Amino acid sequence: AAKLQQLSVVEYEPGMDEQHMRRLRILQALPNAVTEQNLQLHYQPKIAAADGRVIGAEALLRWRDDGIGVVRPDEFIPLAEQTGEITPITAWVIQAALDQLQLWQEQGFDFVMAINLSAVNLQEPELVESIQQQLKRRHIDPSKVTFEVTESALMVEPELAIAKLAELRALGVKISIDDYGTGYSSLAQLKRLPVDELKIDRSFVQDLAISDIDLTIVASTLRLARDMGLTTVAEGVEDEQAWQLLRDKNCDVLQGFYFSRPLAAAQFDKWLKEYLR
Ligand code: C2E
Ligand code: CA
Ligand code: CA
Ligand code: CA
């Protein structure tokens, strides 16, 4: 059976073929993504639900390879996690995002920068030290940086992840649980996590205006998070109705296409100017 399984990986499968080839090409090109400077960060604004103020942005990675074209993060990050390439990629993301935060601060914007970490990053021995040095070097107030870790990433090696998050948090940075509601963490687990913020997954937010079930789930999650002293964020806000419902349910922060898609820094600055007018 093992032999058969092995065979089926390389065997020709109609339809699967193209996908398989693309995967191989991505794996091949990944090691050059950082060195060839084909990576770019886009930024999506985070909005205070109460008054519409821009409180910061989330950095979202974009990769454009000369041969393959645009590769979406959902496609290459899982592969980069498998090959270990996620380590230099994340190092690049952190320095690029902090550079941008510093720029915005110099322009007088009191912003928070949210940076995504993968489970693999939490196993790196130098992660915390390196982040500490970078914050220091740029004179960035650690409380202006949030690290987002998905709920499911925390399940990989919970003890190690919890210890690492606690270490990170001791620097003064904020920790956010991303995609909340899509994993299977229990309330008992949530209580043990050293986190400051809970980010409700967009699958619960998108249909808020038409789905009573989603509204119930979101409302009770918001109540729970607030009772635990966490800041609440809803992602995937695509229309004004969702915004109003979330504000009525006392969600703290909103993110979504309704406000803006993730934009390259120059476009973000343009959007900001327009938004602040
Ligand atoms: P995420 O962290 O949950 O990021 C939110 C995703 O939802 C982004 O997709 C964003 O473009 C999209 N989004 C935002 N607002 C809306 C909306 O209103 N409607 C809809 N339909 N989508 C919305 P993106 O940029 O393609 O990123 C996908 C995922 O890739 C991210 O999900 C995150 O898990 C991962 N990722 C992105 N950048 C990084 C990174 O630098 N490091 C790591 N480890 N993961 C990253
Ligand atoms: Ca995120
Ligand atoms: Ca998310
Ligand atoms: Ca996600």
Side-chain angles (χ1 to χ4, degrees), residues 44-47 49 197-202 204-206 208 218 222 231-238 242-243 246-247 251-256 259:
Q44 185 175 42
K46 297 182 96 163
I47 309 284
E197 180 183 284
L198 195 140
K199 214 169 165 179
I200 301 174
D201 190 68
R202 68 166 187 257
F204 300 104
V205 176
Q206 257 158 352
L208 218 48
V218 167
L222 289 171
T231 300
T232 51
V233 183
E235 61 179 16
V237 177
E238 294 186 349
W243 173 21
L246 287 159
R247 197 188 42 203
C251 184
D252 298 313
V253 181
L254 309 176
Q255 238 184 294
F259 301 100

Side-chain angles (χ1 to χ4, degrees), residues 9 23-24 34 43 69-70 79 85 101 121 127 129 134 146 152 182 190 203 240-241 258:
V9 176
R23 213 178 120 95
L24 287 178
V34 176
Y43 301 94
V70 175
L79 294 177
E85 210 58 47
L101 179 60
N121 297 131
L127 180 79
E129 168 92 42
Q134 298 207 53
T146 302
S152 50
T182 58
L190 188 59
S203 57
E240 197 174 343
Q241 281 157 293
Y258 176 65

Side-chain angles (χ1 to χ4, degrees), residues 9 11 16 24 48 55 59 63 66 80 92 124 126-127 145 151 178 190 193 201 205 223 247 249 251 270 275:
V9 176
E11 235 175 357
M16 283 300 292
L24 287 178
I55 60 162
W63 176 28
D66 293 337
W92 181 86
E124 297 163 6
E126 342 70 58
L127 180 79
V145 180
E151 188 189 10
D178 206 347
L190 188 59
L193 293 176
D201 190 68
V205 176
R223 217 175 305 124
R247 197 188 42 203
K249 302 285 178 200
C251 184
K270 262 188 220 160
Y275 186 83

Side-chain angles (χ1 to χ4, degrees), residues 40-42 44 58-62 72-78 81 86 89-90 92-94 115-119 121 148 150 178-179 199 201-202 205-206 235-239 255-262:
Q40 193 191 16
L41 288 181
H42 281 195
Q44 185 175 42
E58 175 177 6
L60 292 158
L61 191 55
R62 299 291 178 258
R72 300 198 47 88
D74 284 334
E75 198 177 5
F76 71 84
I77 284 172
E81 286 172 343
I86 190 69
I89 288 176
T90 304
W92 181 86
V93 168
I94 292 172
I115 300 172
N116 292 284
L117 292 179
S118 90
N121 297 131
E148 300 188 356
T150 61
D178 206 347
D179 297 355
K199 214 169 165 179
D201 190 68
R202 68 166 187 257
V205 176
Q206 257 158 352
E235 61 179 16
V237 177
E238 294 186 349
D239 49 53
Q255 238 184 294
F257 293 170
Y258 176 65
F259 301 100
S260 171
R261 291 181 176 262

Side-chain angles (χ1 to χ4, degrees), residues 37-208:
Q37 303 193 296
N38 289 334
L39 297 177
Q40 193 191 16
L41 288 181
H42 281 195
Y43 301 94
Q44 185 175 42
K46 297 182 96 163
I47 309 284
D51 57 8
R53 206 163 31 92
V54 180
I55 60 162
E58 175 177 6
L60 292 158
L61 191 55
R62 299 291 178 258
W63 176 28
R64 196 179 192 302
D65 180 75
D66 293 337
I68 310 168
V70 175
V71 191
R72 300 198 47 88
D74 284 334
E75 198 177 5
F76 71 84
I77 284 172
L79 294 177
E81 286 172 343
Q82 285 169 34
T83 64
E85 210 58 47
I86 190 69
T87 297
I89 288 176
T90 304
W92 181 86
V93 168
I94 292 172
Q95 62 84 25
L98 293 182
D99 280 351
Q100 184 58 53
L101 179 60
Q102 198 178 12
L103 264 178
W104 280 331
Q105 288 183 346
E106 284 165 9
Q107 291 164 15
F109 296 113
D110 181 25
F111 280 175
V112 170
M113 179 67 80
I115 300 172
N116 292 284
L117 292 179
S118 90
V120 178
N121 297 131
L122 296 180
Q123 302 182 11
E124 297 163 6
E126 342 70 58
L127 180 79
V128 178
E129 168 92 42
S130 147
I131 289 171
Q132 182 174 30
Q133 279 174 4
Q134 298 207 53
L135 292 171
K136 231 179 169 175
R137 186 150 45 83
R138 294 180 177 80
H139 307 290
I140 290 176
D141 172 359
S143 71
K144 296 296 171 186
V145 180
T146 302
F147 287 100
E148 300 188 356
V149 183
T150 61
E151 188 189 10
S152 50
L154 296 175
M155 308 295 186
V156 181
E157 266 198 74
E159 295 311 318
L160 199 128
I162 289 170
K164 193 63 84 169
L165 291 183
E167 238 184 280
L168 258 181
R169 198 162 174 244
L171 297 180
V173 302
K174 304 274 193 259
I175 306 293
S176 175
I177 310 187
D178 206 347
D179 297 355
Y180 185 76
T182 58
Y184 296 95
S185 49
S186 64
L187 296 182
Q189 281 168 313
L190 188 59
K191 205 177 108 192
R192 292 186 54 223
L193 293 176
V195 298
D196 306 279
E197 180 183 284
L198 195 140
K199 214 169 165 179
I200 301 174
D201 190 68
R202 68 166 187 257
S203 57
F204 300 104
V205 176
Q206 257 158 352
D207 301 327
L208 218 48

